[in-house]
Amino acid sequence: MFRTPHVLVVGGGYAGFYAAWHLEKRLKPSEAYVTILDPRPYMTYQPFLPEVAAGSIEARHVAVSLRRHLRRTTVLAGRATSIDHASRVVHTRMNDGREVDLSYDVVVVTAGAVTRTLPVPGIAEVAFGLKHVEEAVAIRDAFLTALDRAAALPKGPARTKALTVTFVGGGFAGAEGFGELLSLSRAALKRYPEISADEVRFHLVKASERILPEVRATTGARVVRSLERRGARVHLRTTVTSAVGGEVVLSSGERFESGLVVWTAGTAANPVISKHTDLPVNQRGLVVVRPDLRVGTVDHPVLDAWAAGDAAAVPDLTRTASPPYVYTVPNAQHAVRQGRRLARNITRTLRGSEPRPYRHRSLGTVATLGLGTGVFEAGPVVVTGLGGWLIHRGYQVLAIPTWERKIRVAFVWLTAFFLGRDIVSLTSVQQPRHEFVSGGRPERRPQLEQQVRHVA
């Protein structure tokens, strides 16, 4: 008796979302049914997170609903804890705490990467990441709340700390988030006459000798000069050795108090993929895949297993066509196209055809560094400033999936052009029951009460 194959997609990021989306378009319901597993009910379009942090884009608009756009795919809210391909089972922990074993016929591993953290004292307690939309919103609210607090403080250490921002890491996430928040500060200060521009201090700390390593060194140097002209300090060949209590200590010996610390120092392999699967992984903890995205090697493929995106070591055939391979860089441009290729190859395999290799030459790199400032590089062509910013916006609005999201983002950009940035902080939403529980009563401050009794 014929049984409809079950395709299980582990991870709902770029590669996973696009794989499931295009499998729906290519396969008939009788050919396979698809399930996608992810703890979040949406795909985050990460290139827009710096603009979410700066208030240029609404947070919801960078989150693409899985249920709205995957209409024939079963969406499960949970995360994989291990993958046992020999038994064709993914062990999962659902968001409600239940442990569930999901069986499958074909597995697609697109679980992505995680933020790389280092054992720096204090970082885990004070820093934000910038990989998820919740973090971008929290960064924006924390910065705007700090402005409100600083405006009511007298000049001194507490005010200086509140007005100091530190980004650790100078890749795309770090440089873009830093530039966008710097731009937000300049716009917001127009509404804070109590704070002068020279009081707001921005520090970007990068361990290597250049930022934006994906672009040429001369372009990275131009970006550094642009940030410094705008009042920022860029610390190259420098690391953070401590951040206990918000006191940032640099390897150069410099130290300063920082009210907002953002950690963007790279990514690391997903621990579930690197440590809890019987699929082959390399020394970096990435799934070993062939050029056609099937797990395994050319000589030893693993049947019914596929992988792509940041969780996989995908050979870059535009740079070398045979082992030892150079691998594609972990960015959205590759992950989106790998997801589409996954769908095509799985479809071809289910229909008895041979899969085809993934091959994509980069279209170039784009980055935003604040309102009206950006960079675009493709081969010998380099565009910075307003031109680079316009190219960045044009490319990203075309790249974000679904017309519904493209229209929403473009509309927000258009209204912001005429009405300016929204500088309202909604930090209170992180404690939505506080007013209800407190009944509007102010918090008791024992130290203040003692001072009042003493004066009396």
Side-chain angles (χ1 to χ4, degrees), residues 290-293 314-322 325-326 328 333-334 336-342 344-345 355-363:
R290 310 185 329 163
D292 59 10
L293 305 180
V314 180
D316 188 347
L317 299 186
T318 65
R319 300 176 65 184
T320 176
S322 59
Y325 293 113
V326 175
T328 58
Q333 190 176 137
H334 280 298
V336 166
R337 288 163 177 79
Q338 288 167 12
R340 292 171 180 162
R341 174 50 60 190
L342 271 174
R344 296 188 186 103
N345 282 350
R356 294 176 179 174
Y358 170 76
R359 184 189 299 269
H360 171 67
R361 188 175 299 277
S362 174
L363 301 176

Side-chain angles (χ1 to χ4, degrees), residues 219-242:
T219 304
R222 291 171 67 177
V223 172
V224 170
R225 291 194 296 270
S226 172
L227 293 173
E228 290 177 338
R229 284 195 300 269
R230 293 160 61 189
R233 287 195 60 191
V234 180
H235 306 264
L236 300 177
R237 297 181 293 277
T238 307
T239 60
V240 173
T241 60
S242 175

